Amino acid sequence: MKRYFKHEGESNLGLGMVYLEFDDNLASRQVENYSEKWFISNEIYHPETGGLALCDQPLSYLDLGEEHEISRNEFENIWNQALKNVR
């Protein structure tokens, strides 16, 4: 079963948002946005870093609760927006 989450993240680019798709207990897709720069879990878009690494922790290990859960539609909208804007 797929579930979707959103939480604040921090990187060397500052504060941003992290969006995660989990298939059962493992992350299957991820989007991050920092200062209007998009990163997705696909090395095609960021070969210099080997792509954004997917969250390597199982969902059961993370501190993500109901307050972080989002709908599939919200995740898909963010995913499609990232695909259009990734550089």
Side-chain angles (χ1 to χ4, degrees), residues 30-44:
Q30 182 170 333
V31 175
E32 297 187 24
N33 181 268
Y34 299 96
S35 303
E36 299 189 34
K37 182 159 176 76
W38 292 91
F39 299 88
I40 63 172
S41 56
N42 190 324
E43 68 184 37
I44 293 169

Side-chain angles (χ1 to χ4, degrees), residues 5-73:
F5 297 87
K6 167 177 130 176
H7 68 87
E8 286 187 354
E10 187 173 355
S11 78
N12 61 343
L13 297 173
L15 293 177
M17 292 303 296
V18 178
Y19 302 86
L20 293 154
E21 174 189 70
F22 282 88
D23 193 355
D24 291 321
N25 206 30
L26 299 176
S28 51
R29 288 190 292 173
Q30 182 170 333
V31 175
E32 297 187 24
N33 181 268
Y34 299 96
S35 303
E36 299 189 34
K37 182 159 176 76
W38 292 91
F39 299 88
I40 63 172
S41 56
N42 190 324
E43 68 184 37
I44 293 169
Y45 297 101
H46 294 285
E48 72 278 4
T49 62
L52 175 70
L54 277 169
C55 173
D56 62 354
Q57 300 295 323
L59 178 57
S60 59
Y61 186 80
L62 298 175
D63 191 23
L64 294 174
E66 288 181 17
E67 69 275 15
H68 300 104
E69 199 155 359
I70 61 174
S71 70
R72 178 176 187 253
N73 281 345

